[in-house]
Structure formats: structure tokens, C-alpha cells
Amino acid sequence: MSTAQDAAPAEPADAEVQTPKKRSGGFPTAVTVLAIVTFLVWILALLIPSGSYEHDEYGAPVAGTYQEVDSPLSFGDRVRELVLSPVNGFYGLQDLASGFVSTENAGVLFGSIGVVVFILAMGSFMGVVFATRSLEVGIGGLAVRLRDRGWLLIVVIMAVFSLLAGTMGFSVETFGFYALLIPLMKAIGYDRMTTVGVIIVSISVGAMGSTVNPFSIGVASGEAGVSIGDGIVLRIVLWVSMTAIGIAYVLRYAQRVRRDPPRSLARDDDDGDGVADPAAVERLTGTQKTVLGITGLTFALLIFSVIPWASIFGATTGPAEADVIHETTTDPYWFQLDWWFPELAMLFWIAAIVIGIVARMGEKDLIGGIVRGAADFLAPALVIALARGVAVIMTNTQTLDTVLNYMERAVSDASAGVFSVLVAVVNAPLALLIPSSSGHATLAMPLLAPLSDFAGVDRALTITSWQLGHGLALMVAPTNVAVVAGLALAKVGYDAYLKFVAPLLGILTLYAFLVLFIAAGFG
């Protein structure tokens, strides 16, 4: 995204060669894009009638029970909802009886304040780490060793991230890796977009091919009344093939940029990170090695602590929530931590203090690093609140059930092959409004599962189709915090990212539809 750095410095009057200035206009930043999306969704909510389904004891809608209702809000109330949507997106609470989201409610947290605090804490940690120059020196040495094997680094990272995304919903946990990977990739000869591709593409294809993720497949299987293992062979095939497609696509782009840097799609967003020439390698001091060790352990603990081990190996179905409480119904193993945003935020703040002590930083330097690091991550935090505000508008205007009813009617009376493809198609726009896979599954699957029986489609295949539609949409959704906040952290424009990912999205969409159509034919 463009920042104050976009203003090019004045050229000397006698300069013979003028350096091209960076664009001062162009595509808006992620914050502006989401503000526009919020307003458009608000307009859409004015045109869509309010409605509701009857819900079962678990809060899932009952198929065939939709009816229109009078709007609960006057026009003045709707204007108020638009104005307050970012605030409600931060720390709105949802009333359990009415479902209404407001900061004045007593209920469950609906806003994204947990994610925001987590991102600011991560920024504080990275600010302190960078102040020790440990990453800068370490990355310089690593870049020399990987100069001719950068492709291997891309393959390994993308395979691991895709696996984590497909098994436990690894997504926002990737935010801290941008600060690690951007300077490393640039030192090897790649650009910022390569890092974006490595992270966002890997978690996107992993989510599309989810195998036993309790927050998507587990919830959807529970709502559809089937085992989480039903359809797992097809999902494994999809995970392997789509991960391979994603890796090949990113590798092709990375090698092209390395051979011909002017072809980079992120040139206008690249401000230079001050990474030293990897040929001039500094040696890590003992303190810097210790700092790198603490950094590695912190990220390893982050990954370990959020994995729901019992749900994955127990292959259970049923309610789960990933956005706020990161909780499943399965009894955890004794070693399972089940941490989420509060614990992760404190993990990074405590680790930042430990690094400050190890590096013998003074109190003012340590606090200064913590504050400056948090400030650097403020833009992604704002983006997350705006994205959540969109969901608040749809929830409070009671138009979400109407969108669900449109989807239910769209897939009715279709043949098996067409039904499987249509499920993916109609769920894509719903994913834009409900980026949470657990929330999306809870709303959509109770309606889709009975319809799949009439179409002669196995319910497990319907789950796979829903999952593909959800994942394809989230790869470019401006309401997906993993995308918009990731782009903000990488300082890559949303328009540049769309140019980068559009061909891959087309390839994956055609491939997914073909697989679904063939799978439905085999029954």
C-alpha cells in the first residue's frame, strides 16, 4: 500500500538523467478500499429485504423456514450503523438473544479487538528484534548460502504453511512472518510480491484443500451429519494438487523477477529495506545468535500453541469457533495449550522484554522499540477493524439470512454435476460477507446438506464444494484479514496483488470446477 514514502525526492537541477518518480495517485490503499466496500455493502443492505430463518438448538438455520420480516432499523438507525461499523468492528458485543452487535451490549465478543492487540504485540516484538540487528545480519548470511537455492526455501515454506492451513486453519498466525521473509527474499533477489505469494497463496490453497481442519471441515461435517473422514481422499488429492499448482505459480513469478527485476509487480510499493549486500557478510555476535534463537522459539511456540491437536488426530466434527475463542468441543490432550489472541499477544510482549534484557538494551531503548514496532503495525490493525465492520452491517440489518435464502434457491433442482459446481459458485459471495470458515459453515451447511440429497450428491462432496468456493473467494476478498492485513504488512498494493493472483485464481477455479463435476459423476 502506498504511504508517505511514495513522494519522490526532488531531483538536482543539473541532473542529466531523471529518475522516474513513483506514482502519487493510482489504486487506493487497503483502508480506502475497505471503506468503499463498507459503504457499498451498506447500500446493498438498503435494497435487500430483511429476513430470517428458524434456528435449531445450535443456532443453525433450518432449511425451508425463511420468511421476510420488517426491518428492525429505521433509515436513521442504518446511518448510525454505517458510521459506527469500524468501532463495532473493533470491540462490538453480540447480544445472544437478538443477535444485534453493539458496543453497549452484554454478550459475546463480535469485534476483532483480539486480532488487533495480537498484531500490535507482534509489531512490538519485531521492533525490538530489528533494533538488535540480529535479523539483518542473520538474513545476510542466510542469503549467501541460499543464493542459488532460493527456490527450495519457497517450496519448503509454502508446503509447510499449506499443510498447517489445511489441518488447523493457519491464517492470521502468518502475520509475523512478513517481517522475517521480506528482507530474506529481497536479499536473495526476489521482491515483496514473492513474499506475499509465498504466504497468502500457500494458506489459500491449503484452506481450499483442507483435510481435517476442525474449524472448517469439522464444523461443516457436524452440520451435515457426516464423518470428518468422509470425502477425505478427494480432499487430500485436492490439497496435494492445488498446493503444487500454487508453488509452481509462485516459483515461476519469483524466477522471472530475479532474472528481470523491472518485471516486478511490486516495484511501486518497494521502498527498499536497507538490506545489506549479502556478499558483504557480517558475523553474528553471541548476543545476536541468542536473540535469533529466542525469535525462532517464539514463532515455534506460536504455531504449537494454536494447533488443536486432539481435534485433528481425533478427527471429530461439531461446533468450533476460530475467530474469537479458537475452541472445539473435543477434550484437549494434556500437552495441548489452546492459546489464542490474548495469550499470543502476551507471548510476543514477554519475548520482546526478554530480548531487550538479553541484548542489554536500556529501558528507554526497549520501550522505544516496543512503541515504534507497534506503530509500524497500526495500518493492518485498522484494516482488520474495517473488514469486521462489514459483517456487523449485514448482521444488524438482518439481511444475511436473505442472502442465504437466495443461495438456497439458486442451487435447488440442479443436476448432480451442476449442483456441485453451483455450491462453490453461490458460496463465493457469501464468503466475502462471512470470511470465518466456521461461521460460514454453520450458516450454509444446514441448508445445503438436505438439498444435496435431492440432487443425488454425496454430502461429503457438498462439503468439499463449499470449501472450494469459500477458499477461492477468500484469496481475493477485501474482507479477508489474512489478505488485506498481509498486504498492508508487506506494503504491497491491493491492485498489484490482484494482477499477480488473477491468473492463478482462474487456473484454480477451472481446476476445482472440473474436479467437482467429475467427482459428482462418479457418485
Side-chain angles (χ1 to χ4, degrees):
M1 56 185 285
S2 58
T3 61
Q5 75 218 13
D6 289 337
E11 297 291 338
D14 58 348
E16 294 183 4
V17 180
Q18 293 284 333
T19 302
K21 293 184 179 182
K22 290 186 178 183
R23 60 186 178 184
S24 58
F27 200 83
T29 64
V31 172
T32 304
V33 168
L34 274 170
I36 294 171
V37 169
T38 301
F39 180 73
L40 292 177
V41 169
W42 181 79
I43 293 294
L44 188 65
L46 289 175
L47 304 176
I48 298 176
S50 299
S52 66
Y53 280 94
E54 295 179 9
H55 294 78
D56 62 21
E57 58 181 318
Y58 301 108
V62 179
T65 63
Y66 172 83
Q67 58 181 354
E68 290 189 12
V69 298
D70 293 333
S71 174
L73 304 174
S74 66
F75 182 77
D77 292 332
R78 288 174 180 263
V79 173
R80 176 182 170 84
E81 288 302 312
L82 173 64
V83 173
L84 292 181
S85 60
V87 178
N88 286 326
F90 261 120
Y91 63 98
L93 300 173
Q94 186 170 36
D95 183 85
L96 293 177
S98 66
F100 194 81
V101 178
S102 170
T103 57
E104 301 174 359
N105 282 343
V108 296
L109 180 65
F110 191 89
S112 296
I113 187 65
V115 191
V116 170
V117 173
F118 166 62
I119 284 186
L120 295 179
M122 188 178 294
S124 297
F125 172 75
M126 296 310 302
V128 174
V129 172
F130 279 125
T132 68
R133 295 190 67 247
S134 301
L135 279 177
E136 179 182 341
V137 177
I139 285 171
L142 186 60
V144 171
R145 291 192 291 271
L146 294 176
R147 175 169 285 182
D148 298 322
R149 292 180 294 164
W151 65 270
L152 182 60
L153 180 69
I154 292 175
V155 171
V156 171
I157 293 176
M158 290 191 69
V160 171
F161 280 10
S162 178
L163 178 64
L164 291 172
T167 54
M168 51 75 62
F170 195 67
S171 178
V172 295
E173 298 89 343
T174 60
F175 290 157
F177 289 92
Y178 285 93
L180 300 176
L181 291 180
I182 285 174
L184 175 57
M185 291 296 177
K186 291 185 69 179
I188 295 174
Y190 303 134
D191 65 350
R192 290 174 176 270
M193 190 66 78
T194 302
T195 299
V196 167
V198 166
I199 295 178
I200 296 181
V201 171
S202 62
I203 61 175
S204 296
V205 295
M208 292 177 209
S210 290
T211 51
V212 292
N213 179 3
F215 304 108
S216 58
I217 297 300
V219 176
S221 298
E223 297 292 348
V226 299
S227 166
I228 197 171
D230 291 348
I232 195 170
V233 173
L234 176 61
R235 293 198 296 270
I236 290 175
V237 170
L238 284 168
W239 178 81
V240 171
S241 56
M242 297 182 94
T243 299
I245 292 171
I247 291 174
Y249 186 86
V250 174
L251 277 176
R252 180 174 178 271
Y253 172 83
Q255 295 300 330
R256 184 186 74 190
V257 168
R258 192 176 186 186
R259 288 192 305 267
D260 189 7
R263 299 184 69 184
S264 168
L265 293 175
R267 293 181 68 201
D268 289 332
D269 303 293
D270 209 333
D271 59 351
D273 292 300
V275 180
D277 181 355
V281 182
E282 296 181 51
R283 296 181 66 87
L284 286 165
T285 66
T287 298
Q288 288 175 330
K289 290 179 181 178
T290 303
V291 169
L292 288 180
I294 296 172
T295 301
L297 287 174
T298 301
F299 279 93
L301 182 56
L302 177 151
I303 294 173
F304 176 85
S305 68
V306 299
I307 296 178
W309 299 98
S311 294
I312 293 173
F313 293 112
T316 57
T317 64
E321 172 56 54
D323 272 1
V324 178
I325 57 176
H326 199 69
E327 186 175 280
T328 65
T329 55
T330 312
D331 291 333
Y333 293 145
W334 65 268
F335 60 82
Q336 189 171 319
L337 296 177
D338 284 335
W339 287 2
W340 203 221
F341 295 126
E343 295 87 353
L344 296 180
M346 290 311 303
L347 167 66
F348 280 104
W349 271 320
I350 291 172
I353 294 172
V354 171
I355 287 176
I357 294 172
V358 168
R360 295 184 290 279
M361 299 174 67
E363 182 266 342
K364 290 185 178 179
D365 290 338
L366 174 58
I367 299 303
I370 289 174
V371 172
R372 286 190 298 271
D376 288 340
F377 279 53
L378 185 58
L382 293 174
V383 164
I384 289 170
L386 283 171
R388 192 63 168 170
V390 174
V392 172
I393 291 175
M394 295 298 294
T395 300
N396 286 355
T397 56
Q398 290 191 4
T399 49
L400 198 55
D401 278 5
T402 304
V403 175
L404 282 172
N405 182 56
Y406 292 158
M407 182 187 73
E408 180 184 4
R409 289 156 54 186
V411 299
S412 299
D413 302 322
S415 64
V418 173
F419 177 88
S420 297
V421 174
L422 277 178
V423 167
V425 172
V426 299
N427 273 282
L430 190 59
L432 300 177
L433 302 174
I434 316 173
S436 166
S437 58
S438 52
H440 188 175
T442 301
L443 289 174
M445 289 313 301
L447 306 179
L448 294 175
L451 291 174
S452 65
D453 296 337
F454 290 112
V457 176
D458 188 83
R459 291 190 173 194
L461 180 59
T462 300
I463 292 172
T464 301
S465 180
W466 159 81
Q467 170 185 271
L468 288 169
H470 182 84
L472 288 167
L474 288 194
M475 183 174 271
V476 294
T479 52
N480 180 8
V481 296
V483 171
V484 291
L487 293 176
L489 288 168
K491 298 181 182 177
V492 168
Y494 184 64
D495 57 331
Y497 172 71
L498 291 180
K499 292 178 183 177
F500 165 75
V501 82
L504 175 62
L505 184 63
I507 293 169
L508 292 174
T509 300
L510 292 176
Y511 175 71
F513 288 176
L514 179 63
V515 170
L516 289 172
F517 195 84
I518 294 174
F522 280 99

